[in-house]
């Protein structure tokens, strides 16, 4: 939120404009006018926590779907993966593939009234570069050689090398989106925080009440198609069952998941199945987004042993999880990355569910199940491992219980460890797990940005892979894939990468996630998902 005590004069004038807009919106659409405590021109949506400070160059507490409401990219990811103009209305790429020259859209303002110019783009790139270690998972950020403003509407970006996914990565929700220069700290280091969440996007954050809600108002100076409703309230409802009740009682208007939200926005599968059959409700579903996975730590006992990982992959009944836990609301997954993703159509031998085969693999590896014993042992050690999940995420918990039961059937003692979200994140990034829930990233991250991050410590994938004897070879193949634009070479390199990870059984692909929306027909006209993972097109929502 803003900090008026540190504003400069220009920012003060801009903030006055912003606050006037917010004040008028709050005055005109007083919550007292509404049946559900908000006006009828207010869309009420639910999320498990507040949206955070909405720093466009930060992660963690900053919720991606909300960052995308306020901040915009130079180019956008459209249907079918087509890159379309956004804050840049056009661009040119040099013949050597290194220099990108963007012509910025004219007459675009930040919501505080500051013009969006090439200088503003430069200041935001400066801010990202100041904390490049934090952003080095993003290949484009790491490949930046130089950038400059050629004039007010022309921005030039030069990379150290050609990169096939550079434009694709400029569409991402973070960190290469744009904060008003007036809202930056005096030293420009947004890594230390921002004065206020001021972007060019269709929504303005007006108020946050911790544990209660975040209140957005429409940016009436927005250059593009304005939101159809004047206000947006993100109501904090941590529990999925309570969100379902809130929808039934009209406390909220819309339930819509965002990819990999860890259960932050949806309802439980059984509630979705029941309400979707009620004629009072409508539903909407996305195309399959990403792969829900269990990652196994190749550096920690006992998952550092290939035989154990291969037994686990065969021992888990993924079809039973799809039917019994996910109620067929997600799609089957056999691979880390789906075959319809560019360069990922690789012939890989599947791991069918077979307790007999899993048991045979363990027997051959010396893990014996002695008569009368429940769990296998070898050299005095019990075959015991942990599986970590987010404690209040019901789907994760239910899947974990199936996994525990399945693997007990082959003599493995799986200890379930539910953690609060921050601790779970620390386990992922620190490598403190045998098995842990994770996911691929979906469009537009897959496949380039996703595999690029595998090389960076601080990601669950890196931690899962760090014990592989071929880790150096794997990272080399990834680095080569980021350095070529030749389609044939790219296909060969992604074949190497995906085959290596598959053969080493680093992951258990559980399902391909599908985002789902649920709403009452009397409250919401329609809802459709964006092709961009992590973004929710809430501005398109209208009353009937």
């Amino acid at each position: 939120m803003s900090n008026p005590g540190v504003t400069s004069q220009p920012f003060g004038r801009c903030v006055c404009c912003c606050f006037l807009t917010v004040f008028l919106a709050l005055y005109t659409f007083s919550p007292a006018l509404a049946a559900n405590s908000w006006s009828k021109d207010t869309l009420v949506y639910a999320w498990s926590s507040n949206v955070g400070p909405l720093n466009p160059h930060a992660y963690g507490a900053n919720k991606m779907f909300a960052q995308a409401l306020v901040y915009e990219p130079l180019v956008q990811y459209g249907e079918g993966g087509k890159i379309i103009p956004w804050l840049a209305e056009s661009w040119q790429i040099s013949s050597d593939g290194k220099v990108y020259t963007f012509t910025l859209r004219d007459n675009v303002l930040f919501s505080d009234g500051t013009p969006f110019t090439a200088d503003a783009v430069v200041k935001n790139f400066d801010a990202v570069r100041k904390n490049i270690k934090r952003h080095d998972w993003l290949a484009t950020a790491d490949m930046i050689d130089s950038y400059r403003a050629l004039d007010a509407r022309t921005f030039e970006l030069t990379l150290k090398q050609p990169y096939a996914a550079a434009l694709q990565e400029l569409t991402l929700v973070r960190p290469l989106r744009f904060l008003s220069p007036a809202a930056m700290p005096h030293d420009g280091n947004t890594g230390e925080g921002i004065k206020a969440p001021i972007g060019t996007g269709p929504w303005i954050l007006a108020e946050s009440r911790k544990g209660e809600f975040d209140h957005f108002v429409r940016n009436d100076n927005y250059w593009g198609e304005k939101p159809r409703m004047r206000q947006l309230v993100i109501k904090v409802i941590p529990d999925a069952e309570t969100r379902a009740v809130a929808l039934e009682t009209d406390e909220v208007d819309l339930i819509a998941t965002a990819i990999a939200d860890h259960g932050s926005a949806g309802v439980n599968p059984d509630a979705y199945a029941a309400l979707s059959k009620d004629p009072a409700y409508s539903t909407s579903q996305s195309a399959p987004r990403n792969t829900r996975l269990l990652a196994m730590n190749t550096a920690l006992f006992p998952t550092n042993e290939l035989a154990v990982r291969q037994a686990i992959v065969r021992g888990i009944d993924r079809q039973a999880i799809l039917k019994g836990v996910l109620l067929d609301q997600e799609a089957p997954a056999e691979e880390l990355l789906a075959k319809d993703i560019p360069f990922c159509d690789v012939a890989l031998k599947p791991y069918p569910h077979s307790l007999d085969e899993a048991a045979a693999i363990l027997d051959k590896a010396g893990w014996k199940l002695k008569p009368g014993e429940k769990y296998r042992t070898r050299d005095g050690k019990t075959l015991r491992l942990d599986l970590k999940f987010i404690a209040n995420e019901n789907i994760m918990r239910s899947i974990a219980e199936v996994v525990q039961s399945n693997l007990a059937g082959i003599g493995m003692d799986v200890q379930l460890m539910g953690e609060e979200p921050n601790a779970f994140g620390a386990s992922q990034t620190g490598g403190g797990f045998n098995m842990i829930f994770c996911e691929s990233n979906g469009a537009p991250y897959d496949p380039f940005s996703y595999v690029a991050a595998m090389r960076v410590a601080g990601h669950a994938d890196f931690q899962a892979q760090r014990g592989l004897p071929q880790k150096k070879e794997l990272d080399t193949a990834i680095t080569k894939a980021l350095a070529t634009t030749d389609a044939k070479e790219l296909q060969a390199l992604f074949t190497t990468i995906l085959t290596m990870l598959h053969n080493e059984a680093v992951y258990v692909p559980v399902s391909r996630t599908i985002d789902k929306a649920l709403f009452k027909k009397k409250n919401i006209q329609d809802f459709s998902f964006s092709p961009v993972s992590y973004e929710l097109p809430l501005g398109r929502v209208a009353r009937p």
Side-chain angles (χ1 to χ4, degrees):
M1 293 296 292
S2 64
N3 184 356
V6 294
T7 56
S8 63
Q9 284 300 314
F11 180 66
R13 289 196 298 272
C14 296
V15 166
C16 285
C17 296
C18 175
F19 281 1
L20 179 60
T21 302
V22 170
F23 172 78
L24 289 173
L26 291 172
Y27 177 81
T28 307
F29 301 98
S30 165
L33 298 174
N36 67 350
S37 82
W38 296 97
S39 86
K40 290 184 178 178
D41 209 7
T42 302
L43 172 65
V44 183
Y45 173 65
W47 194 267
S48 64
S49 63
N50 287 99
V51 299
L54 295 191
N55 182 335
H57 309 143
Y59 306 91
N62 300 273
K63 302 307 173 190
M64 294 179 73
F65 84 94
Q67 288 172 303
L69 300 174
V70 174
Y71 304 105
E72 297 182 290
L74 287 175
V75 291
Q76 187 57 284
Y77 187 87
E79 294 290 347
K82 183 180 179 182
I83 303 299
I84 59 177
W86 209 253
L87 290 178
E89 64 181 13
S90 64
W91 59 91
Q92 292 182 323
I93 305 173
S94 64
S95 58
D96 65 1
K98 296 181 181 179
V99 183
Y100 292 71
T101 305
F102 296 94
T103 299
L104 305 184
R105 192 177 296 279
D106 201 8
N107 297 319
V108 174
L109 299 176
F110 289 97
S111 62
D112 61 2
T114 301
F116 174 72
T117 64
D119 282 337
V121 177
V122 167
K123 285 183 171 62
N124 278 268
F125 271 67
D126 285 345
V128 171
R129 294 292 290 172
K130 282 177 186 292
N131 297 285
I132 190 60
K133 280 294 182 187
R134 185 67 187 87
H135 307 302
D136 62 1
W137 65 271
L138 184 66
T140 298
D142 201 38
M143 290 180 190
I144 292 174
D145 181 63
S146 64
Y147 49 87
R148 58 179 176 158
L150 299 182
D151 58 44
R153 290 187 56 210
T154 310
F155 173 72
E156 182 185 88
L157 170 65
T158 302
L159 303 180
K160 297 172 187 172
Q161 62 186 51
Y163 179 35
L167 286 176
Q168 200 164 311
E169 290 194 345
L170 290 177
T171 72
L172 303 184
V173 172
R174 57 195 186 192
L176 293 173
R177 293 201 180 188
F178 306 101
L179 175 73
S180 169
M184 290 184 173
H186 292 300
D187 63 0
N189 185 4
T190 55
E192 300 298 324
I194 60 175
K195 293 178 182 176
I198 304 294
T200 60
W203 295 100
I204 301 170
L205 179 62
E207 181 186 13
S208 286
R209 292 189 188 178
K210 189 172 176 58
E212 296 184 42
F213 61 80
D214 300 286
H215 179 199
F216 293 80
V217 297
R218 184 170 68 192
N219 177 7
D220 285 327
N221 293 319
Y222 183 52
W223 62 271
E225 182 180 348
K226 294 179 178 59
R228 299 176 69 179
M229 299 179 76
R230 295 190 68 85
Q231 298 187 102
L232 167 65
V233 169
I234 312 298
K235 190 171 178 60
V236 177
I237 304 178
D239 177 67
E241 291 182 7
T242 309
R243 285 194 289 273
V245 173
L247 184 69
E248 291 181 274
T249 58
D250 295 328
E251 186 182 351
V252 301
D253 296 310
L254 173 69
I255 296 292
T257 57
I259 182 173
D261 61 17
H262 298 311
S264 296
V267 299
N268 293 329
D270 55 347
Y272 181 84
L275 293 175
S276 63
K277 294 175 183 173
D278 187 327
Y281 290 84
S282 282
T283 62
S284 176
Q285 295 189 354
S286 73
R289 293 290 206 184
N290 66 344
T291 309
R292 185 191 295 272
L293 301 160
L294 293 173
M296 289 183 272
N297 195 330
T298 59
L300 289 184
F301 174 85
T303 46
N304 61 341
E305 186 175 339
L306 176 59
V308 171
R309 299 195 300 274
Q310 289 177 331
I312 288 172
V313 176
R314 287 177 170 82
I316 296 174
D317 189 348
R318 288 170 285 162
Q319 283 300 319
I321 291 172
L322 271 175
K323 290 187 177 298
V325 177
L326 301 173
L327 305 184
D328 287 322
Q329 293 170 15
E330 297 188 2
E334 292 293 340
E335 305 90 7
L336 174 63
L337 293 173
K339 292 182 181 297
D340 58 358
I341 296 171
F343 308 111
C344 297
D345 188 2
V346 177
L348 300 170
K349 186 177 180 180
Y351 293 107
H353 171 60
S354 171
L355 293 180
D356 289 340
E357 286 188 23
I361 290 171
L362 293 174
D363 284 336
K364 186 177 179 181
W367 288 103
K368 300 299 183 183
L369 188 60
K370 298 176 181 176
E373 297 289 334
K374 190 174 182 181
Y375 300 117
R376 293 175 182 267
T377 57
R378 186 179 69 189
D379 300 330
K381 293 182 178 179
T382 300
L383 186 50
R384 178 175 293 124
L385 55 101
D386 63 63
L387 169 55
K388 293 189 173 180
F389 61 97
I390 297 176
N392 65 353
E393 216 283 71
N394 292 334
I395 291 178
M396 282 190 189
R397 177 183 291 278
S398 297
I399 292 174
E401 289 171 351
V402 173
V403 171
Q404 183 184 49
S405 175
N406 285 167
L407 298 187
I410 56 172
M412 284 192 191
D413 180 12
V414 178
Q415 300 189 337
L416 305 188
M417 299 180 67
E419 299 182 324
E420 60 88 22
N422 288 338
F424 178 80
S427 293
Q428 279 190 325
T429 58
F433 61 86
N434 282 124
M435 281 199 294
I436 198 164
F437 284 86
C438 65
E439 59 277 319
S440 65
N441 293 336
Y445 292 81
D446 296 339
F448 289 93
S449 307
Y450 178 53
V451 300
M454 290 177 177
R455 302 170 305 161
V456 180
H459 285 260
D461 297 288
F462 175 88
Q463 298 297 345
Q465 299 164 11
R466 66 190 169 97
L468 291 176
Q470 314 95 320
K471 178 57 175 168
K472 187 175 180 180
E473 181 185 348
L474 175 67
D475 288 354
T476 298
I478 293 171
T479 300
K480 287 181 178 177
L482 302 179
T484 181
T485 56
D486 182 84
K488 189 174 180 180
E489 187 178 6
L490 279 168
Q491 184 59 71
L493 288 164
F494 273 101
T495 298
T496 297
I497 295 164
L498 296 176
T499 301
M500 194 181 299
L501 291 172
H502 182 82
N503 290 345
E504 286 293 332
V506 180
Y507 300 94
V508 181
V510 177
S511 64
R512 294 190 73 192
T513 66
I514 294 174
D515 282 328
K516 295 174 281 295
L518 185 64
F519 50 93
K520 284 186 178 176
K521 295 174 182 174
K522 72 180 181 69
N523 291 334
I524 297 297
Q525 193 175 78
D526 198 8
F527 182 86
S528 58
F529 285 95
S530 165
V532 182
S533 302
Y534 306 98
E535 295 197 22
L536 290 170
L538 300 176
R540 297 183 202 157
V541 178
R543 298 290 183 203

